[in-house]
Amino acid sequence: MTVTHFDRARQADFRPSLASGFNSFLEQEETRFAEENRLRIDLHCHDLNSDQPDELWGRILRLPETWLESKKLVQCLRQHGSDVVTVTNHNNARSCWQLLEKGEDVLVGAEFTCHFPDRDLFVHVLTYGFSPAQEEILNRHRRDIYQFLRYAAEHDLPVILPHPLFLYAHTGKVDPAVFELLALLFQRVEVLNGQRDLWQSTLTLNWARGITPEKMQAWGRKHRLNPDDFGVDPQRPKVLTGGSDDHMGIFAGQCGSFLEVPDLQYRLLREKPSALALEAIRKGRIAPYGHVGENQKLNIALLDYFSQVATRIQDPGLLRILLHRGETRDKLACLAISNTMLELQKKKHARKFFEFVHDALQGKKPNRMLKWKVAKKYRFCLTHLQRIAASKQGTPEQFVATVNQSIGELFTDLNRLLIAKVEKSGLVTSDNKALRFSTEELTRNFEIPAQLSALVFGGDNPHRHTSGRKVTELLDSISFPLMISAVLAGATVASTRLLYQNRQFLNNFAQHLGSNSHNCRALHLTDTLFDRNGVSSSLTGKLRQIQQRDLPIDLLVCDPERAPEPHLLVFKPLASYTLPDTGGQQLRIPDLLQIGRAFYEGGYDRVVCSTEGPMVLVALFLKYMFNVRCYFFMHTDWLEYIKATTDATPHERDRIRRLLRLLYQQFDGVFVLNTEHKRWLTGHEMELEPTRVFLTAHQAPEAATDILPVEKRKLFPDATAETPVLFIACRLSQEKGLGDLPQILARARQALPDLRLVIAGSGPEEEALRQQLPDAVFLGWTDQTRLAQLYQGLDLFVFPSRFDTFGNVLLEAFAHGMPAVAYATKGPADIIQPGVSGYLAADEIEFAARIVAHFQQPDRHAAMRTGARARAAEYEGGAIMDEYLRNLDLPLRAGSIKQRSVA
């Protein structure tokens, strides 16, 4: 589990500071009224009569907001200490009337959806103390909030504005002037909502406290509204209330309001608690109580809801979905959800599991005998459910913490089970856990049949897909853990997305208030950081600069052995596999929810991803979960890699191009390392908006000092100082263009017969190169000190790669004064200044000619070395990083989190 250490001395702990401030407010409210003169009431809760949800997906799928019976809600309220009961269902008080008929003392209430007639906006309004006849009138007035509130004021029906920052606008945009109107329209404001997080609760509190009589007077003139018409006294501060907003009967009563009633004990002998509560609400004698559980409470509530959906949903009908109002993506999402849930109902074990989840969240443990009926590999599920049910007997805080911990651990255990099943399917070798399919096989077979029956039911489809294996064979064996994992993740995503679906508005609102602005901080994900490849080298350099400057960026990588560092989060992967044809590169599987928790706890508000491996899926998961900006840093030219390392046809490569286009289009911005790629991404093939593509670079390394150049005769005994020696340092693989070297060298030797070659690096092509270049010196993997000696002692760097998007080794050579020759493409085309710091060539013939011309002009060598060093100096890390931060819209200042540790 993640343990985060904050530098509290610098007030960097965003969420803990919010908790401290809000809890201090609640402690003050706790002591406002004498205990003997106060009633406890949850002013905001729901049951099964909230059957017409405002959310579009619920209406499309014909799902109520809850299946909770009124009797169970009342039991939950009483269990959690409520003295007075009210049920505030959407747009109706049916539950209140039914309870009254059964002799229950109830404060009649409802949560009405009211529309602004002059704006594309509607809000909820909690209303109390009305009669059945008045309920009908209130429902008629809902289309005009001004009429609604005037009527309520005229008839002394108290109203409360719940969750003020959770507004409903069809366009998704909210005019800040709306809050001036809300201040004029409402005397009572709900600042504690059990389903909202600390940030929104604190923003609401500070907004309500910041409303002054002077502001009310100015806003009244501006909007030509008289607050008195709505029962609002502009001279009085806002009355602050609390409610659980519970729909599942789990948290009802844990958040609510204290109501002050003088001489309460005496008056209870003569009057009903509901009448006394109504009197206190009218007079504004209210103080909120309870606690805020970040997104954890909502996560638990939605898990319970999803568990019931999984067992209760009925087929909504395809025509209903297609013909319902809403965008196409909403309808497709609802179609996918309904099919998944209906399919899950067919799985007996999955259906029973979700019944047990619902029972556990209500405090009911699974039957002990069930342990012997469940397969051993699934018994961990029962362990988690028993722990959840047992925690119901503890404090609310303990229950919330236990459930969320168990959900995370259950998700992890299910994913490990999934991985074990995948490994047994034959996709992974049993000896060294290497993936059986190569890049070429994946490229050729990466397809899904258009005939869906072939995917779902198998059949005689002539095409074999995804490494030639039937999808259904694997899906059938993993269907149970996959579905359970999907629902667990879905509840977590939905709860967080629901809280932050208007994140931009919340950011703007915080700036408007001048307090509680969210951290500006990026989490940079990568699949590789400590491996021997160019991407790792670049990112390591970026990490060191972030650490030195204490910038608002943290890197995150999965690695089984490395320890965390300042600005570096390290998680152990669920599994690691060796990628074929990569010289040992590892594919590491991350724990999705673990990273989600780290993102939330770390106070990040944007994501960057550097690799197209599993982390790119995690990045998009975080984007949609937290509604944050997401960027991609393009290090690798996959099309060129596939072209260089496989025999894939143009059609097969084009399919990968379309897949990459779809992927890159999901990001708010893409960073590229050369102008050629920027033109490609913004051209007709990839169709990205030019404003979303940022040209960047890597910094040049510092040249090693106090290093003696290598002597050529130590590499070639017959060499002299004048012997022309070429040098290359890179991974020895096909995509590096090393296959061109034998021909280039042969052509150049026609004019320079004594030309030599030194090769530093290792890789899958080393043996083939040794056979083709028997007189070359192969040094294998070489450390930085040795490389510096080679750069300073040899003559010309050769770089025949058409694959590299940048070319760190070029800047490394330049920093030590070694000019270079490369193909005029991608990174080298931007870095090399022809005739100043090196040479560019169009093909092998010109490449060899440039080598010959360089050695035939020895009088220019000193100037070329000077030019190389000058060019490296232009890639200064500070300026590059500053531009990178500006493009990420991050502040050019010290970071807010010094170090975090992961155990």
Side-chain angles (χ1 to χ4, degrees):
M1 182 60 195
T2 307
V3 181
T4 306
H5 299 287
F6 295 90
D7 182 3
R8 297 183 182 276
R10 298 165 53 202
Q11 298 298 311
D13 41 354
F14 176 65
R15 296 195 179 281
S17 65
L18 293 177
S20 175
F22 201 83
N23 289 336
S24 176
F25 159 72
L26 289 177
E27 289 171 3
Q28 294 174 2
E29 295 297 293
E30 175 84 19
T31 60
R32 274 184 59 196
F33 307 139
E35 189 171 349
E36 65 272 15
N37 285 332
R38 70 186 189 190
L39 294 169
R40 286 171 62 108
I41 184 172
D42 185 344
L43 288 169
H44 191 176
C45 54
H46 302 263
D47 67 14
L48 54 76
N49 281 312
S50 272
D51 51 4
Q52 295 296 324
D54 287 321
E55 286 72 21
L56 176 64
W57 288 15
R59 297 198 302 273
I60 293 176
L61 294 170
R62 293 196 298 187
L63 292 172
E65 288 196 345
T66 178
W67 290 269
L68 178 65
E69 297 176 359
S70 301
K71 179 181 178 181
K72 291 186 177 180
L73 173 60
V74 173
Q75 289 175 349
C76 184
L77 289 168
R78 297 298 189 195
Q79 180 183 351
H80 291 144
S82 293
D83 301 309
V84 184
V85 170
T86 186
V87 186
T88 53
N89 288 325
H90 288 296
N91 303 320
N92 75 84
R94 288 196 300 272
S95 295
C96 294
W97 306 131
Q98 292 166 4
L99 288 170
L100 284 169
E101 288 176 0
K102 295 177 181 179
E104 188 84 38
D105 179 41
V106 176
L107 172 61
V108 174
E111 185 174 17
F112 292 97
T113 301
C114 297
H115 298 255
F116 284 84
D118 52 346
R119 296 172 182 268
D120 178 28
L121 183 74
F122 62 95
V123 298
H124 289 168
V125 180
L126 293 169
T127 310
Y128 306 93
F130 51 84
S131 67
Q134 289 174 324
E135 180 184 359
E136 293 183 14
I137 298 172
L138 288 169
N139 266 309
R140 288 202 299 270
H141 287 326
R142 288 195 303 111
R143 304 308 302 177
D144 186 332
I145 191 172
Y146 305 109
Q147 288 186 15
F148 182 97
L149 294 175
R150 284 192 182 99
Y151 178 85
E154 289 170 2
H155 294 82
D156 202 15
L157 304 178
V159 296
I160 297 173
L161 174 65
H163 43 68
L165 299 186
F166 193 72
L167 303 174
Y168 300 84
H170 294 297
T171 62
K173 297 180 180 179
V174 178
D175 184 352
V178 166
F179 286 88
E180 299 170 0
L181 290 173
L182 295 177
L184 295 170
L185 296 175
F186 291 92
Q187 185 72 53
R188 306 167 195 86
V189 177
E190 181 186 73
V191 297
L192 173 59
N193 182 293
Q195 301 299 317
R196 307 295 151 183
D197 77 334
L198 270 170
W199 188 29
Q200 297 187 44
S201 300
T202 304
L203 287 173
T204 302
L205 175 62
N206 288 336
W207 166 70
R209 281 177 157 179
I211 298 171
T212 63
E214 293 75 19
K215 290 180 179 179
M216 291 287 287
Q217 187 176 23
W219 293 338
R221 289 195 301 266
K222 176 181 176 181
H223 297 285
R224 299 180 180 180
L225 291 174
N226 183 359
D228 292 335
D229 293 344
F230 311 105
V232 176
D233 183 352
Q235 299 302 315
R236 289 181 59 195
K238 296 301 180 186
V239 176
L240 310 180
T241 75
S244 69
D245 201 2
D246 182 83
H247 290 66
M248 298 295 125
I250 299 175
F251 301 111
Q254 290 184 5
C255 290
S257 297
F258 293 124
L259 305 180
E260 184 188 36
V261 181
D263 300 321
L264 174 62
Q265 303 307 316
Y266 173 77
R267 294 187 66 183
L268 282 174
L269 298 174
R270 304 170 182 272
E271 300 173 71
K272 292 182 178 180
S274 60
L276 297 177
L278 182 60
E279 175 191 301
I281 295 171
R282 282 172 173 160
K283 293 182 178 181
R285 296 172 177 169
I286 309 175
Y289 72 83
H291 73 282
V292 181
E294 295 289 359
N295 69 331
Q296 298 168 341
K297 286 186 178 180
L298 188 57
N299 185 22
I300 293 170
L302 286 180
L303 175 61
D304 190 31
Y305 183 72
F306 284 6
S307 298
Q308 295 184 71
V309 169
T311 58
R312 295 172 180 264
I313 189 172
Q314 297 179 352
D315 191 342
L318 180 61
L319 286 179
R320 175 186 176 83
I321 293 175
L322 295 178
L323 299 178
H324 204 286
R325 284 189 303 175
E327 296 183 8
T328 302
R329 63 182 180 182
D330 293 313
K331 297 177 182 181
L332 289 174
C334 289
L335 181 64
I337 291 171
S338 63
N339 276 268
T340 300
M341 291 301 185
L342 290 169
E343 186 64 29
L344 191 147
Q345 285 184 352
K346 299 177 184 178
K347 307 285 185 181
K348 178 181 177 182
H349 296 303
R351 188 174 68 251
K352 293 298 293 183
F353 174 80
F354 285 115
E355 290 176 359
F356 293 144
V357 170
H358 172 65
D359 290 342
L361 292 174
Q362 302 295 328
K364 181 180 178 181
K365 294 182 180 181
N367 191 310
R368 291 187 177 182
M369 296 301 296
L370 190 63
K371 178 179 180 181
W372 308 108
K373 298 180 182 180
V374 175
K376 186 176 181 180
K377 60 185 176 183
Y378 290 120
R379 287 179 186 170
F380 66 85
C381 297
L382 291 179
T383 302
H384 289 299
L385 293 178
Q386 289 169 345
R387 187 192 309 170
I388 289 172
S391 69
K392 190 72 172 174
Q393 306 304 315
T395 66
E397 293 83 357
Q398 290 171 338
F399 173 70
V400 170
T402 300
V403 174
N404 280 276
Q405 180 181 352
S406 294
I407 290 173
E409 292 176 359
L410 180 58
F411 182 82
T412 300
D413 291 341
L414 286 167
N415 276 275
R416 289 199 175 106
L417 183 61
L418 276 169
I419 289 168
K421 287 179 175 289
V422 171
E423 290 177 354
K424 290 180 180 179
S425 70
L427 291 174
V428 181
T429 59
S430 58
D431 51 354
N432 60 357
K433 285 198 173 183
L435 297 179
R436 290 187 182 276
F437 51 85
S438 64
T439 304
E440 181 159 358
E441 288 176 311
L442 186 61
T443 303
R444 290 185 178 280
N445 297 308
F446 192 86
E447 185 56 277
I448 298 174
Q451 181 186 351
L452 293 181
S453 62
L455 172 64
V456 180
F457 305 111
D460 297 325
N461 192 296
H463 301 288
R464 294 173 66 82
H465 305 277
T466 314
S467 193
R469 302 180 190 281
K470 296 279 188 186
V471 177
T472 48
E473 294 177 6
L474 182 58
L475 288 180
D476 186 59
S477 67
I478 65 174
S479 59
F480 174 77
L482 184 63
M483 286 182 176
I484 304 301
S485 296
V487 173
L488 294 177
T492 303
V493 172
S495 63
T496 310
R497 178 74 184 187
L498 187 62
L499 286 176
Y500 294 113
Q501 62 185 1
N502 58 345
R503 176 183 283 270
Q504 186 57 53
F505 162 72
L506 294 176
N507 284 329
N508 295 339
F509 192 74
Q511 292 175 9
H512 175 72
L513 291 180
S515 63
N516 309 123
S517 293
H518 199 285
N519 284 352
C520 291
R521 191 164 189 83
L523 184 63
H524 191 138
L525 309 177
T526 176
D527 291 288
T528 180
L529 186 62
F530 304 112
D531 307 292
R532 292 180 180 177
N533 57 56
V535 177
S536 290
S537 299
S538 301
L539 290 175
T540 300
K542 190 179 293 290
L543 173 61
R544 298 298 171 238
Q545 190 175 6
I546 290 169
Q547 292 170 331
Q548 290 168 7
R549 295 177 56 181
D550 195 17
L551 295 173
I553 304 175
D554 292 338
L555 270 69
L556 186 150
V557 67
C558 282
D559 192 280
E561 298 175 353
R562 298 299 292 245
E565 303 174 16
H567 292 281
L568 174 64
L569 285 74
V570 182
F571 288 122
K572 290 186 177 181
L574 294 175
S576 299
Y577 304 106
T578 302
L579 292 170
D581 307 326
T582 63
Q585 177 65 46
Q586 293 283 299
L587 180 74
R588 302 180 181 96
I589 308 301
D591 187 322
L592 199 61
L593 293 189
Q594 186 184 38
I595 296 177
R597 289 194 299 274
F599 188 90
Y600 191 86
E601 293 168 3
Y604 302 100
D605 71 336
R606 64 208 73 194
V607 190
V608 185
C609 184
S610 281
T611 45
E612 291 92 344
M615 282 299 183
V616 78
L617 301 179
V618 176
L620 294 177
F621 173 82
L622 295 176
K623 173 186 176 178
Y624 293 110
M625 179 177 178
F626 292 96
N627 193 22
V628 295
R629 284 176 285 177
C630 191
Y631 300 86
F632 190 80
F633 200 121
M634 185 177 173
H635 285 277
T636 306
D637 185 342
W638 286 106
L639 293 182
E640 187 64 38
Y641 177 82
I642 291 170
K643 184 178 179 180
T645 60
T646 74
D647 293 324
T649 66
H651 169 73
E652 291 163 344
R653 294 199 302 270
D654 202 48
R655 184 168 58 210
I656 299 300
R657 176 186 64 81
R658 290 189 175 96
L659 179 65
L660 290 172
R661 179 175 63 190
L662 176 64
L663 175 65
Y664 296 149
Q665 286 177 342
Q666 306 309 307
F667 290 89
D668 298 285
V670 177
F671 289 89
V672 294
L673 291 162
N674 60 77
T675 54
E676 182 179 322
H677 266 149
K678 184 174 183 179
R679 287 193 299 269
W680 177 65
L681 287 174
T682 57
H684 71 280
E685 288 190 323
M686 300 300 281
E687 300 177 335
L688 268 64
E689 289 291 331
T691 55
R692 292 167 52 196
V693 181
F694 307 108
L695 184 62
T696 185
H698 296 313
Q699 71 178 77
E702 294 184 8
T705 57
D706 300 326
I707 296 293
L708 295 176
V710 68
E711 295 182 34
K712 295 178 181 179
R713 61 184 178 82
K714 291 186 176 180
L715 298 168
F716 305 96
D718 60 335
T720 66
E722 287 72 31
T723 300
V725 181
L726 305 175
F727 180 51
I728 181 171
C730 66
R731 184 171 177 272
L732 306 185
S733 54
Q734 284 182 314
E735 74 275 7
K736 295 295 184 178
L738 300 177
D740 293 356
L741 276 180
Q743 283 189 303
I744 291 172
L745 200 61
R747 287 182 177 277
R749 280 176 173 167
Q750 293 176 9
L752 302 169
D754 200 25
L755 185 63
R756 312 295 176 89
L757 175 64
V758 176
I759 300 175
S762 58
E765 293 300 302
E766 181 174 350
E767 189 56 39
L769 279 174
R770 285 182 179 275
Q771 295 179 11
Q772 296 176 60
L773 299 168
D775 56 350
V777 172
F778 288 81
L779 301 177
W781 184 84
T782 308
D783 63 33
Q784 291 299 314
T785 300
R786 180 63 167 160
L787 283 174
Q789 295 173 332
L790 293 163
Y791 286 132
Q792 292 185 11
L794 305 182
D795 301 309
L796 183 65
F797 194 83
V798 289
F799 195 58
S801 171
R802 291 184 172 90
F803 161 75
D804 281 65
T805 57
F806 189 68
N808 289 317
V809 288
L810 291 175
L811 290 182
E812 197 172 73
F814 284 1
H816 292 88
M818 177 180 277
V821 56
Y823 287 123
T825 183
K826 300 186 178 70
D830 284 354
I831 295 172
I832 294 176
Q833 301 162 300
V836 179
S837 56
Y839 311 92
L840 293 173
D843 52 31
E844 295 171 13
I845 297 174
E846 189 175 359
F847 203 113
R850 297 298 187 193
I851 293 173
V852 171
H854 175 77
F855 287 109
Q856 288 179 342
Q857 304 175 70
D859 56 319
R860 298 194 59 221
H861 289 186
M864 293 290 284
R865 285 187 173 274
T866 300
R869 291 191 180 93
R871 184 58 169 165
E874 294 176 16
Y875 287 83
E876 191 271 323
I880 293 171
M881 180 61 77
D882 287 349
E883 182 66 19
Y884 178 63
L885 292 171
R886 279 191 287 269
N887 287 329
L888 287 175
D889 197 23
L890 285 172
L892 307 180
R893 59 170 176 76
S896 52
I897 296 179
K898 287 289 286 182
Q899 182 167 355
R900 63 186 79 258
S901 172
V902 180

